[in-house]
Amino acid sequence: MSSPRLRVQFETLFEHYQGKSCGIQLEDITEILFCTRRNARIVLNKMEEEGWLEWHPAAGRGKLSQLVFKRSRADVSENLARRYLEEGKITQALNVLDQDKSKLAKVLDTYLGIIHQEDQQVVRLPYYRPLSMLNPTFPIRRSELHIIQQVFSGLVTIDDNDDLQPDLAHAWEMRNPRHWRFFIRPSVRFHSGDLLTMEAITTHLLSLRSRTLFTHVENVVSSGHLVIDIYLSRDDFRLPIILAEPCAKILPPIEERNVNFDLYPVGTGPYRVVHNDDKRLILHAYDNYFGFRPLLDSVEVWVIDDAHSSMIFPSLSKPIQPTDTTNYMDRVDLDPWCTFLLLNRKNGLAASNDWAHYFSQRLSSLNLFQLIPQEKIVELGVLPAHGLKPGWYHHTKQGFSSPPAYRTITIAYHAHHPMFPTLVKCIESIFKSDGLSVNFITYELTIGDLNEVDIWIKPMGISTHREDALAGWLLNHSDIEMLSKDEDYAYWVEEVKKWQADPNITFPANELGKSLVERLQIIPTLHCWLGVSQDHCGALQNATCNALGWFDFSQVWVKPEETNDSGENVG
């Protein structure tokens, strides 16, 4: 890519000659650019290679060379901005456009949104960070979870209406509360082309037994052609629901996975990963998918290195945050769960009830929300959380509490997140006002040593609005077991077991949420607005926001423009 200096030199020449082609002498260029004759030749040759101008040197002393401008100053700036965008460098793109966001939006319109390539429909979406962990057996963030749902299939799935639906299993039956039978679709293939075998299913489901949510799985066998039997050590009338968890997505056998499986996973879902690095993720529709083939041929997620593409506005063609935010809230949805503070009640400062009470009172959602700058509240689209779900109200006794001692508080949070840097500044401000010092641990995927952490900032990252999804979160991927008191965690596990064992009771979601707060394990902090503004969807149809703030790629399609008899667009 051409250097910023070369662009400035071109702009200097363009302005000097007012963009008009003319005859010149090399000495003229040396005076305009303040360089030697040799450097002037080098500069003109480089500009010609970029296609910005043509330089026809004349032979003989006193003869004029011809300088022909092929691009305007604006053309060059926009071209450079596009090339920066291809590398995900929105800040540099803004710089070459003189920080003019309207110009950047114009350039982005040609790169993001709905693109037609060789009769294929492609949608390009902006995002603020790479999606580097797409293995559902590891801790995953909410956006990675959405991609995983596009790439993998489980025995069952939860649809956008939060209903349990068949997936790899087309039917199932409860033989008794400790024996479930699933009937598998025939001729399902992984993206690699390998046939899905019953052995792959049984092996993966058996591997889940190390997780608290699946400890009651006693055995998994294939008792016949395309039949999977799951035997349990205790009654469970709700087994299909927990089999919709991300970790229960069926993976190929370990020996058949490539070394880059986390970046390039292989599943049986509607989309396959064909490219994934720190610049973009590219998904292609899987032609041999056992369900309906997606109508979108390709989905590309572009990494834009600036907060203009925060997850509050995952727009298709206008990733620049709108200046008028008065009307967008009625067109997006509120996160069905929350961002929370997880206290280390096992071996952190919060193992002491005095410290736990101090944290819960001083870091209440209202205390933190009052410190968030107004412009950040609008930019990030946040509201104070009074419980795990909007509408729930769980709290501990409020009032000022002084710290039990003067110590250093260690706080952990994701390194790349649009909201967390602002949130930790508010927390730090409160602690410093109380005479405490703060140590931060930032991480990409996992934390090295949880014993060092006192407070962990986390999003819940549940993929549905269903209240019973709290069971999978609590016992599977909340990390609460590692930081809770043994007796507290045992109580929460027992409440889930009671629900599984009785088909006539509803899931005690509100009670569990209340217990998590009152036992000083978590502090609900913020809800955020998520969604895809319909104003930004253009011809994209059925882009309905899900609980993760994205839309199901496999369910959307592009509505063609209407034309009249002469072939002209009419709308």
Side-chain angles (χ1 to χ4, degrees):
M1 179 180 290
S2 56
S3 67
R5 176 174 171 77
L6 188 65
R7 178 180 66 88
V8 172
Q9 289 171 323
F10 173 81
E11 291 175 350
T12 301
L13 288 179
F14 189 88
E15 291 175 0
H16 181 84
Y17 292 109
Q18 298 181 342
K20 296 178 181 179
S21 302
C22 58
I24 63 166
Q25 290 187 339
L26 197 58
E27 287 75 9
D28 299 333
I29 303 300
T30 63
E31 292 178 4
I32 296 169
L33 299 181
F34 301 101
C35 63
T36 64
R37 287 173 60 88
R38 179 176 178 274
N39 285 339
R41 289 192 185 95
I42 293 173
V43 168
L44 290 172
N45 286 330
K46 285 184 176 179
M47 291 180 185
E48 192 167 29
E49 290 173 3
E50 292 288 337
W52 299 348
L53 52 75
E54 291 180 3
W55 175 50
H56 303 286
R61 183 179 297 276
K63 291 185 178 181
L64 294 179
S65 300
Q66 292 298 310
L67 188 65
V68 180
F69 289 98
K70 305 292 288 184
R71 295 285 186 270
S72 69
R73 174 182 177 180
D75 289 340
V76 170
S77 296
E78 290 182 6
N79 184 56
L80 282 175
R82 289 189 184 97
R83 292 166 70 176
Y84 276 125
L85 288 174
E86 289 175 358
E87 298 182 2
K89 298 176 180 178
I90 195 171
T91 302
Q92 288 90 330
L94 264 175
N95 288 338
V96 301
L97 294 173
D98 300 323
Q99 299 295 316
D100 190 328
K101 294 180 182 178
S102 63
K103 290 182 180 178
L104 181 63
K106 178 183 176 182
V107 174
L108 281 167
D109 275 341
T110 65
Y111 273 85
L112 301 178
I114 300 167
I115 310 296
H116 295 276
Q117 292 180 333
E118 300 177 353
D119 295 327
Q120 291 199 333
Q121 295 180 344
V122 179
V123 168
R124 291 174 175 167
L125 305 171
Y127 202 54
Y128 69 95
R129 61 176 176 82
L131 300 167
S132 55
M133 173 49 76
L134 301 179
N135 186 336
T137 63
F138 287 95
I140 47 178
R141 298 175 65 174
R142 61 189 308 146
S143 292
E144 281 83 348
L145 176 55
H146 173 73
I147 302 300
I148 281 170
Q149 292 175 334
Q150 308 294 304
V151 173
F152 292 95
S153 309
L155 296 187
V156 297
T157 188
I158 304 292
D159 66 16
D160 286 343
N161 295 318
D162 291 333
D163 294 324
L164 189 68
Q165 298 290 352
D167 204 7
L168 291 173
H170 61 85
W172 56 88
E173 61 186 20
M174 184 181 70
R175 308 296 289 263
N176 63 62
R178 299 192 182 195
H179 177 197
W180 286 79
R181 174 165 290 176
F182 293 82
F183 302 94
I184 309 302
R185 300 179 190 275
S187 302
V188 175
R189 292 188 179 275
F190 287 104
H191 299 154
S192 60
D194 295 334
L195 193 68
L196 172 66
T197 64
M198 298 306 99
E199 182 181 1
I201 295 176
T202 57
T203 299
H204 183 65
L205 294 181
L206 284 170
S207 73
L208 300 177
R209 293 183 296 180
S210 60
R211 300 169 182 262
T212 303
L213 190 63
F214 295 95
T215 53
H216 63 312
V217 173
E218 198 167 66
N219 201 10
V220 182
V221 299
S222 177
S223 57
H225 181 58
L226 299 176
V227 175
I228 294 292
D229 285 298
I230 301 179
Y231 296 93
L232 309 173
S233 60
R234 56 179 171 80
D235 291 355
D236 186 354
F237 291 87
R238 325 282 185 166
L239 180 67
I241 292 177
I242 68 171
L243 288 176
E245 284 292 303
C247 64
K249 302 290 185 184
I250 303 303
L251 279 62
I254 293 178
E255 62 271 14
E256 296 179 13
R257 301 176 199 173
N258 58 59
V259 293
N260 294 322
F261 191 81
D262 297 347
L263 279 172
Y264 289 87
V266 175
T268 58
Y271 282 94
R272 59 190 179 91
V273 178
V274 298
H275 183 87
N276 190 15
D277 59 21
D278 58 355
K279 297 295 187 294
R280 62 181 61 84
L281 165 71
I282 300 177
L283 305 175
H284 283 179
Y286 182 40
D287 290 334
N288 293 321
Y289 177 53
F290 60 83
F292 290 114
R293 183 202 186 272
L295 298 177
L296 283 181
D297 296 292
S298 182
V299 177
E300 301 179 6
V301 182
W302 284 38
V303 179
I304 304 297
D305 64 346
D306 194 274
H308 297 303
S309 63
S310 83
M311 62 182 177
I312 311 305
F313 300 96
S315 55
L316 297 178
S317 60
K318 299 177 183 177
I320 302 302
Q321 182 178 307
T323 55
D324 179 11
T325 57
T326 56
N327 296 320
Y328 82 87
M329 288 298 185
D330 60 353
R331 295 193 291 267
V332 294
D333 295 326
L334 193 63
D335 180 359
W337 301 92
C338 73
T339 294
F340 64 100
L341 307 182
L342 175 58
L343 303 186
N344 187 349
R345 296 280 278 151
K346 179 162 290 186
N347 44 37
L349 290 176
S352 157
N353 286 338
D354 289 340
W355 274 105
H357 278 290
Y358 167 73
F359 290 147
S360 294
Q361 293 175 26
R362 292 293 283 144
L363 302 181
S364 69
S365 60
L366 287 179
N367 285 349
L368 290 174
F369 192 75
Q370 291 171 356
L371 296 177
I372 300 176
Q374 181 63 34
E375 64 273 14
K376 282 294 182 181
I377 291 175
V378 174
E379 175 187 337
L380 301 174
V382 294
L383 295 173
H386 302 292
L388 270 64
K389 285 184 71 69
W392 288 3
Y393 188 75
H394 303 140
H395 62 94
T396 57
K397 182 179 179 181
Q398 294 300 304
F400 179 78
S401 175
S402 58
Y406 294 101
R407 300 286 296 275
T408 296
I409 316 298
T410 299
I411 302 173
Y413 65 97
H414 282 302
H416 292 96
H417 195 284
M419 180 171 60
F420 289 174
T422 297
L423 189 57
V424 296
K425 288 181 181 178
C426 299
I427 296 174
E428 183 180 31
S429 174
I430 290 174
F431 284 152
K432 285 189 173 181
S433 69
D434 289 349
L436 302 172
S437 57
V438 183
N439 175 49
F440 294 115
I441 296 176
T442 60
Y443 65 98
E444 294 289 345
L445 297 175
T446 58
I447 298 175
D449 186 1
L450 276 177
N451 294 328
E452 299 177 357
V453 176
D454 297 308
I455 300 172
W456 192 355
I457 304 176
K458 292 176 64 68
M460 290 187 70
I462 297 178
S463 63
T464 79
H465 294 76
R466 293 174 62 111
E467 291 191 351
D468 55 21
L470 191 67
W473 171 81
L474 180 59
L475 304 191
N476 190 37
H477 56 90
S478 67
D479 297 309
I480 287 177
E481 180 179 9
M482 295 183 290
L483 297 183
S484 63
K485 294 181 179 295
D486 292 342
E487 60 272 21
D488 288 343
Y489 193 73
Y491 167 76
W492 298 321
V493 170
E494 190 60 32
E495 289 300 298
V496 173
K497 287 181 179 179
K498 289 178 183 177
W499 165 72
Q500 291 175 310
D502 189 340
N504 299 313
I505 64 174
T506 58
F507 182 72
N510 200 301
E511 292 79 1
L512 283 170
K514 179 180 180 182
S515 176
L516 286 163
V517 174
E518 292 184 348
R519 292 184 183 227
L520 307 175
Q521 184 63 65
I522 69 173
I523 306 172
T525 304
L526 297 169
H527 300 298
C528 63
W529 293 99
L530 302 172
V532 181
S533 171
Q534 295 304 306
D535 291 344
H536 294 170
C537 286
L540 195 66
Q541 307 296 305
N542 203 32
T544 304
C545 177
N546 60 26
L548 295 169
W550 292 76
F551 57 88
D552 186 349
F553 302 153
S554 66
Q555 299 300 315
V556 299
W557 57 286
V558 178
K559 186 176 183 179
E561 294 183 348
E562 296 182 15
T563 58
N564 57 25
D565 293 338
S566 62
E568 297 175 342
N569 292 336
V570 296

